[in-house]
Amino acid sequence: MKNCRTYSRTPYRVAFMALQTRPTGGRPAYDPYRHRHLLYAKAAPVFRAFGYRQVTMKALAHACGVSAPALYRYFPSKLDFALFPLTEPPTGYCSMLLNEAADAEPDGLRALRAALVEAIAHVDLVVLAVRLAIEAGRDAGDVFSSRRIATLDATVREVVIRCVPRLGDRADDLAHTLVSLVVSAAAAQAPLPPEELWRQGGPIVRGYLRDAGYDDAQLSHLFGPMPLDA
C-alpha cells in the first residue's frame, strides 16, 4: 500500500526494515509493528489511569503480561512506549490494516463500514499518546504534525473511494472531515473512545453517502448507532 508515508528515523527503524510479508502457503510472518501496537493497547488503561509521570515500566509490563526486561526489548524507554502511536509506521501499514478489513466484505458499503470500524478502534490510542506527549513536555504543535494529518487523510480517502467509487471527489471531503474529528479531540486532549467517534462520524458518513444516491434505510442500518453487530 502507498498512502502512509515512509517512516521517520526512530528507535524502531531497524525493526521496521525487517518487517516481513506473509509467506506463501504458510503462517503469517512475525510483524514487529503490529506486536508493539498490541502491547500498547494492553497498556493503555494503565497510561490513562496514572498518566505519564506516575506510571512505571514495571506496571506497564504487568498490564502487558510480560516482564519489564522483555518490555524494554520492544520499547527502549517509557517515553518511547508512551508515544508509540505517534511514530511513523512502515510504508503502507495504515492502508494495509484498513484494506484488510474492507477485503473481508464483498459489498462496498459493508466494506467501508468494516474499514472505518478498524480505523476508529485504534483512534483513542493516538489521542492518548498526544496527551501523554504533552504531559511529558513535548510541544503541543509538534506531536500531531500536518504531515501526519495529510497521511491520515490520504489513507482514509483511498479506502473510501475504493469502497464507494461513486463518491468521486467528495471522498476527499469525507476523509478530511472524519480525520478532523480526531485532530480536534487530540488538540483538546479529550478522550475519544470508539463509540463516541462512531456517534459523531456516523451521521457524517450517512450524509455523504445519501447525497451520492445510496438508500437511506440501508445507510441507517449499516452506519447507525453502535453496537455494530448487524
Side-chain angles (χ1 to χ4, degrees), residues 1 13 21-22 32 44 56 62 66 83 90 101 131 134 139 173 186-188 202:
M1 300 299 173
R13 184 177 181 113
T21 57
R22 183 186 298 269
T56 65
H62 180 74
V66 300
L83 273 57
R131 193 192 89 191
I134 294 173
D139 182 78
D173 295 335

Side-chain angles (χ1 to χ4, degrees), residues 130-215:
V130 171
R131 193 192 89 191
L132 296 173
I134 294 173
E135 185 183 342
R138 293 296 181 91
D139 182 78
D142 294 335
V143 295
F144 208 68
S145 67
S146 59
R147 186 180 72 171
R148 184 179 181 87
I149 294 171
T151 297
L152 290 172
D153 275 356
T155 299
V156 175
R157 189 260 179 201
E158 174 200 340
V159 176
V160 169
I161 199 66
R162 173 196 165 190
C163 296
V164 285
R166 74 168 76 170
L167 273 179
D169 292 340
R170 299 212 69 199
D172 292 292
D173 295 335
L174 175 55
H176 183 72
T177 302
L178 294 176
V179 171
S180 294
L181 295 177
V182 179
V183 174
S184 297
Q189 300 183 51
L192 192 63
E195 60 272 14
E196 175 60 20
L197 181 55
W198 189 266
R199 187 189 68 80
Q200 295 181 30
I204 296 172
V205 174
R206 291 199 304 271
Y208 274 85
L209 294 176
R210 189 182 302 115
D211 290 345
Y214 287 95
D215 179 70

Side-chain angles (χ1 to χ4, degrees), residues 2 9-11 19 30 44 67 69 81 90 99 119 138 178 196 198 203 206 216 226:
K2 56 187 177 183
R9 295 180 183 273
T10 71
L19 188 69
Y30 173 67
S67 67
F81 196 5
N99 278 287
R138 293 296 181 91
L178 294 176
E196 175 60 20
W198 189 266
R206 291 199 304 271
D216 190 58
M226 282 185 162

